[in-house]
Amino acid sequence: MRIIICGAGRVGYGIAERLSSEEHDVTVIDTAVDLVRQVRDTLDARGIVGHGSHPDILEQAGAADADMMIAVTLHDEVNMVACQVAHSLFDVPTKIARIRAQSYRQGAYQDLFSRDHMPIDVIISPEQEVGEMVLRRIAIPGATDVVRFANDNVVMVAIECAEECPVVNTPLSQLSDLFPDLRSTVVGIQRGERLFIPHSSDQMYAGDTAYVVADTSQVKRTLALFGHEEPAARRIVIGGGGNIGLYVAKAIETRGTGARVKIMEANRERAALIADQLRRTVVLHGSALDQNLLIEADVADADLFVALTNDDQVNILSAVMAKRVGCGSNLVLMNNPSYHEFSRLLGIDAFVNPRSVTISRVLQHVRRGRIRAVHSVQKGAAEIIEAEALETSPLVGTPLREANLPPGARIGAIYRNGKIIRPTGETKIKPADRIVILAMQEAVRDVEQVFRVSLEFF
């Protein structure tokens, strides 16, 4: 595909890095010379200095032949105009824009982005996407990664195997025999630096991270099987009252989880603003790095400290301080990937990577075939994909043990007519089934082909 990316910041660069590594024809536009230079020097992509909303710059970037425009600059209005120009002058088929201001997304104004007005095919709201990821982590304690598929009926959880984990050193086939009614499947194992798809004879060891696809109604049972029976957090302290912190606090209030929330916000005006928008959340003015304020916020009695400021270092240090004061666990927003490797050594229990969340959202629309959702894991080493099976798919009608499933891919669940089916060798996929599958990076294109419409169908 020929793809133009407007914006070479962390998100734009991350998207370009991923797409160029997959041999897409990528061009990145940004007004910052140093950011464009970095793209040219480190990626197999073109870099153009200029405004992504200017017609001449888009023409220079090859918009006339582009398949997709991804506008992820820091300014909503620039992203919107870039998509409008790409549509009106160059007829770019697919236009994706990052829009952060929630005012544009209110229900009464949704028609603004229709084809007749400001044609944007996909709107990405990083704050909302990351906020939902944080809420999923809070709702399912014990998992280090949580993603929902098939209208929330299927969930993928990443689970760390501790020394006392009941299922370590047991072949996966034996686990299936012991729990035949458990609708969950181990689709991947991270062992050290290596992520691999296990066979039925493989077993998990202490220190492994297992990627498990399960029926949502059986997630707690699955976590208990792995030795994780942590209670849901009832007392939560949030460090940072920005857009994400406010979104999370509002959602906890409106969804009636029963959790009590306190927010610490360093900016006085911002603290006053969010206090007016929250009904049951206590808002404290001050830095999350102020130990006295942490004590005042009763962090010692809190179940969870969630660090959601815009500064990675503040997030990491405040989360470490919260645990030292006595907080049960922490969850950190971490943009810089260089911090991920040693976060555990610092005392970080779990983290959310905003760039990874956004990239996963974009990949959903880059992938060909009937792909409904994509989630990238382990820095792109693999993807969890939800795809719809078509009549022409080679997987349809054949027992899975005989199906030509691409090497490096493993099916975790099948969603059919409101029911979850745990795949076995005898399972036959039917048209319209929704398949949740883990694919190693080298197998992603083969998985796309399996779920594409064959020309013989027409």
Side-chain angles (χ1 to χ4, degrees):
M1 294 179 69
R2 294 183 176 179
I3 302 171
I4 297 174
I5 300 173
C6 295
R10 282 179 175 172
V11 172
Y13 181 89
I15 295 170
E17 182 179 37
R18 182 62 178 275
L19 296 181
S20 63
S21 69
E22 297 179 8
E23 299 182 355
H24 291 286
D25 184 348
V26 177
T27 300
V28 182
I29 303 170
D30 201 287
T31 56
V33 176
D34 55 335
L35 293 180
V36 173
R37 183 183 299 115
Q38 182 184 21
V39 169
R40 292 171 176 168
D41 292 345
T42 59
L43 303 180
D44 183 16
R46 295 175 64 206
I48 296 176
V49 177
H51 289 274
S53 57
H54 289 184
D56 57 330
I57 297 297
L58 286 177
E59 184 176 30
Q60 183 182 343
D65 299 316
D67 300 296
M68 180 178 292
M69 152 80 80
I70 305 172
V72 287
T73 74
L74 295 176
H75 307 287
D76 292 353
E77 290 72 22
V78 172
N79 297 336
M80 292 158 64
V81 172
C83 289
Q84 178 71 71
V85 174
H87 171 79
S88 300
L89 297 184
F90 302 104
D91 199 23
V92 176
T94 304
K95 298 159 288 294
I96 300 175
R98 177 169 71 171
I99 296 180
R100 305 174 70 180
Q102 294 304 303
S103 175
Y104 288 119
R105 307 205 64 193
Q106 293 180 20
Y109 310 133
Q110 285 300 301
D111 193 48
L112 173 65
F113 301 108
S114 68
R115 195 167 186 84
D116 294 331
H117 297 103
M118 187 169 288
I120 299 176
D121 302 294
V122 182
I123 294 174
I124 297 176
S125 173
E127 288 81 4
Q128 184 173 335
E129 301 281 348
V130 174
E132 286 296 330
M133 176 64 77
V134 171
L135 290 165
R136 288 194 292 269
R137 295 285 189 88
I138 293 174
I140 306 180
T144 60
D145 198 2
V146 180
V147 187
R148 295 182 183 272
F149 298 97
N151 301 337
D152 291 346
N153 290 286
V154 177
V155 64
M156 185 285 295
V157 288
I159 312 171
E160 291 188 353
C161 300
E163 291 284 351
E164 62 276 10
C165 179
V167 298
V168 298
N169 305 321
T170 304
L172 296 180
S173 58
Q174 187 173 334
L175 291 177
S176 299
D177 295 337
L178 290 172
F179 306 97
D181 63 331
L182 183 65
R183 293 186 296 277
S184 64
T185 304
V186 178
V187 294
I189 296 175
Q190 177 76 24
R191 182 169 297 156
E193 298 297 318
R194 178 178 171 237
L195 175 66
F196 64 94
I197 293 178
H199 298 288
S200 59
S201 58
D202 287 327
Q203 49 191 296
M204 293 169 288
Y205 301 121
D208 287 353
T209 296
Y211 288 89
V212 185
V213 174
D215 184 329
T216 300
S217 65
Q218 296 193 344
V219 169
K220 288 187 176 180
R221 184 184 172 195
T222 301
L223 286 166
L225 183 64
F226 280 79
H228 288 276
E229 297 184 86
E230 295 90 335
R234 293 300 177 188
R235 291 165 296 185
I236 301 171
V237 178
I238 298 175
N243 290 335
I244 298 175
L246 177 60
Y247 182 89
V248 171
K250 274 187 174 180
I252 292 174
E253 286 188 349
T254 57
R255 297 177 189 182
T257 63
R260 291 181 292 171
V261 181
K262 295 180 181 179
I263 291 185
M264 308 166 68
E265 169 55 41
N267 182 279
R268 180 179 294 276
E269 289 75 19
R270 178 66 183 178
L273 177 65
I274 64 174
D276 289 339
Q277 299 184 50
L278 297 167
R279 299 190 305 274
R280 299 187 303 274
T281 301
V282 176
V283 180
L284 302 172
H285 169 235
S287 171
L289 293 176
D290 185 339
Q291 185 165 332
N292 292 328
L293 189 62
L294 287 172
I295 295 172
E296 182 184 341
D298 296 322
V299 167
D301 297 322
D303 301 310
L304 176 66
F305 180 84
V306 186
L308 300 176
T309 77
N310 292 323
D311 189 317
D312 283 357
Q313 296 180 21
V314 171
N315 290 339
I316 293 170
L317 290 173
S318 62
V320 171
M321 289 175 62
K323 286 199 71 174
R324 288 182 65 88
V325 170
C327 186
S329 62
N330 57 37
L331 174 61
V332 172
L333 189 69
M334 204 179 297
N335 288 280
N336 192 334
S338 63
Y339 294 144
H340 298 171
E341 301 297 332
F342 54 85
S343 61
R344 180 68 66 179
L345 298 175
L346 296 174
I348 304 302
D349 296 315
F351 64 84
V352 173
N353 179 4
R355 186 171 73 168
S356 176
V357 174
T358 305
I359 291 173
S360 294
R361 185 86 163 82
V362 169
L363 288 176
Q364 175 182 342
H365 303 280
V366 173
R367 298 286 172 250
R368 300 181 185 274
R370 289 292 182 90
I371 307 299
R372 287 177 168 266
V374 174
H375 180 70
S376 179
V377 299
Q378 291 297 329
K379 299 180 181 178
E383 293 176 12
I384 309 289
I385 298 171
E386 178 191 344
E388 181 181 342
L390 302 171
E391 291 183 15
T392 55
S393 171
L395 296 181
V396 169
T398 304
L400 288 180
R401 69 171 71 257
E402 301 173 13
N404 188 23
L405 190 67
R410 182 178 175 88
I411 295 175
I414 300 168
Y415 180 67
R416 177 187 299 160
N417 298 327
K419 296 182 179 180
I420 309 301
I421 299 172
R422 183 176 180 271
T424 67
E426 302 304 320
T427 304
K428 294 183 180 180
I429 292 175
K430 296 182 178 181
D433 282 355
R434 287 157 70 172
I435 318 300
V436 179
I437 183 171
L438 182 141
M440 300 300 293
Q441 187 54 48
E442 61 272 16
V444 168
R445 287 196 173 182
D446 291 332
V447 170
E448 287 181 279
Q449 286 297 123
V450 167
F451 292 100
R452 290 185 70 178
V453 177
S454 171
L455 290 177
E456 298 172 359
F457 183 72
F458 296 100

